[in-house]
Amino acid sequence: MTGGSKKIVVAMSGGVDSSVAAALLKEQGHEVVGVSLRMWEAEGLGPRNCTDLGGARAVAKLLGIPHELLDLRAEFVERVVEPFAREYLRGRTPNPCVSCNRDFKLGKLLDWALGRGADYVATGHYARIAADERTGRRALLRGADRSKDQSYFLFALSREQLDRTLFPVGELSKSEVRREARRLGLPVADRVESQDICFGDYRALVRSYASEGELAGGEIVDEAGRVLGRHQGIHGVTVGQRRGLGLCASRPLYVLGIEEATRRIVVGGKEALACRGLLARDVRWIDTPPEEPIEAEVQIRYRSPPAPCTVRRRSDGSWQVSFRRPHAPVTPGQAAVFYRGDRVLGGGWIEAALRAQPSAGRPAHV
């Protein structure tokens, strides 16, 4: 961001991160407008819900900036909530935060801001944007506080979104953000952190979208196909799960795969979770997609460590990710995000795990 004062629309959730982001920009002399997105409301969400509209309004008033409320509830249900439920009913483990950030926090909000003459939108994400020394284009980087880094959720942002987005707290640690909030006199300095998923009891939510057949149970089998028990529905199980399966065995058994068509759950020992790679679909690259295989690191869950890998395009348009060392577990439905150091290259959705040692009679991917 160069030049003098800019008009910046800040996504204000009512939490400490977005409140400090707005306050810092105001302190720097910019024209700041606070906007809260009304997207999901349900009973019993508690203080860890990701949006506190009253808190955001109070902070905006304290800062002396305008505050607007965008009611996006109907669109949020259609584009985030329903797809989230449908994925669980397919036996997958979705991550709704990626589409929420792309389509709403930095999608609908950006459209609204540009329509009112704003130069940028800003959020309280722990991520950074810096100019590429070679091309001069903006690059998406991890947040300076690796323990709070949220770049994983932002891989699907478009080039236009990156060019118009600011992350004012991306260079700070969480403790520094709270310290800034106290310095600035913000009442949210000690507010509890929000949870990753804002739906509260998501299992009840998933059931509310299901037909009777989609909630039916099925067989739990081992890798050889022997029936070990029954489950109460594939929507309630995730790859890597050990507890809650209701099995009595001589060793711990983990969910290795979920078969949507047969509604069977495949279980095995912990060593069988090891995967040599994965297949990803709907991969988006921040810059031009690579024509040849590339070396990178892949992060397959928000909190998982990055794993060295090779990424190459397949003839069917999907992407194959090969780990240098076996990795476990790989969960279909989660995002696979590619990095080179702190820089985000792109990412997509895990379609299948490539098993390290497929058993006789079982597929090499599940």
Side-chain angles (χ1 to χ4, degrees):
M1 185 168 56
T2 59
S5 175
K6 304 293 184 182
K7 183 175 182 179
I8 303 173
V9 170
V10 181
M12 297 187 68
S13 67
V16 62
D17 302 321
S18 61
S19 296
V20 168
L24 290 176
L25 292 169
K26 174 75 183 301
E27 190 175 55
Q28 293 164 13
H30 299 293
E31 179 187 352
V32 177
V33 177
V35 175
S36 295
L37 307 182
R38 191 177 185 184
M39 297 186 292
W40 182 252
E41 297 174 359
E43 294 182 3
L45 291 182
R48 291 179 64 83
N49 184 32
C50 63
T51 302
D52 175 7
L53 300 179
R57 191 179 302 113
V59 170
K61 183 177 181 180
L62 178 66
L63 295 176
I65 63 174
H67 179 263
E68 301 279 351
L69 179 64
L70 300 187
D71 191 340
L72 303 173
R73 286 175 292 177
E75 293 170 86
F76 187 75
V77 167
E78 178 184 354
R79 298 177 64 172
V80 177
V81 179
E82 289 187 14
F84 170 84
R86 301 309 314 172
E87 283 284 272
Y88 261 111
L89 292 168
R90 292 182 56 203
R92 301 164 69 85
T93 306
N95 189 321
C97 299
V98 173
S99 53
C100 176
N101 281 297
R102 178 194 65 207
D103 298 335
F104 291 88
K105 292 180 181 178
L106 292 167
K108 292 290 183 180
L109 178 63
L110 179 59
D111 292 341
W112 185 92
L114 295 179
R116 284 153 183 79
D119 299 293
Y120 296 96
V121 296
T123 74
H125 283 96
Y126 286 86
R128 294 174 293 162
I129 295 177
D132 183 286
E133 294 180 358
R134 183 174 56 86
T135 65
R137 304 183 76 180
R138 302 184 101 205
L140 176 63
L141 307 177
R142 290 187 183 276
D145 185 344
R146 289 292 291 268
S147 69
K148 297 297 179 184
D149 170 48
Q150 294 172 306
S151 61
Y152 176 85
F153 300 121
L154 303 172
F155 77 85
L157 298 185
S158 68
R159 171 58 57 186
E160 179 188 23
Q161 288 171 319
L162 283 178
D163 287 344
R164 293 285 190 167
T165 299
L166 304 173
F167 299 126
V169 303
E171 296 284 354
L172 305 177
S173 67
K174 187 72 177 192
S175 60
E176 289 172 329
V177 168
R178 292 196 185 278
R179 188 159 58 245
E180 284 292 288
R182 296 186 186 98
R183 179 184 69 81
L184 293 160
L186 302 180
V188 294
D190 298 308
R191 189 183 192 273
V192 296
E193 292 192 71
S194 62
Q195 59 191 19
D196 292 337
I197 296 179
C198 64
F199 302 147
D201 185 356
Y202 72 89
R203 289 184 174 86
L205 173 71
V206 171
R207 289 194 295 271
S208 73
Y209 281 93
S211 65
E212 184 176 347
E214 289 175 318
L215 296 176
E219 296 175 338
I220 302 176
V221 303
D222 64 15
E223 293 180 274
R226 291 185 293 264
V227 178
L228 304 180
R230 292 190 62 83
H231 63 84
Q232 312 244 330
I234 60 175
H235 62 282
V237 183
T238 187
V239 170
Q241 179 177 329
R242 179 171 72 88
R243 300 183 184 278
L245 299 177
L247 298 176
C248 182
S250 59
R251 59 171 181 156
L253 294 175
Y254 298 79
V255 176
L256 305 181
I258 301 170
E259 299 176 353
E260 179 185 1
T262 63
R263 307 194 71 77
R264 295 201 307 180
I265 293 172
V266 183
V267 298
K270 188 174 183 178
E271 70 284 351
L273 283 171
C275 296
R276 58 186 172 86
L278 60 89
L279 299 180
R281 60 176 172 82
D282 298 333
V283 172
R284 298 179 61 160
W285 299 92
I286 291 178
D287 290 317
T288 305
E291 295 293 331
E292 301 295 330
I294 64 167
E295 300 297 314
E297 299 89 43
V298 62
Q299 190 168 324
I300 61 173
R301 275 184 180 266
Y302 171 42
R303 293 296 187 187
S304 69
C309 68
T310 301
V311 186
R312 67 175 181 86
R313 189 169 202 160
R314 289 159 46 101
S315 59
D316 63 359
S318 66
W319 294 78
Q320 181 170 324
V321 180
S322 301
F323 304 137
R324 290 187 196 168
R325 292 179 296 277
H327 198 294
V330 173
T331 309
Q334 290 287 297
V337 182
F338 308 121
Y339 292 84
R340 185 164 291 142
D342 279 352
R343 183 170 180 167
V344 180
L345 304 179
W349 300 102
I350 299 174
E351 183 66 24
L354 301 177
R355 298 282 295 279
Q357 295 179 330
S359 301
R362 305 293 301 169
H365 61 85
V366 292

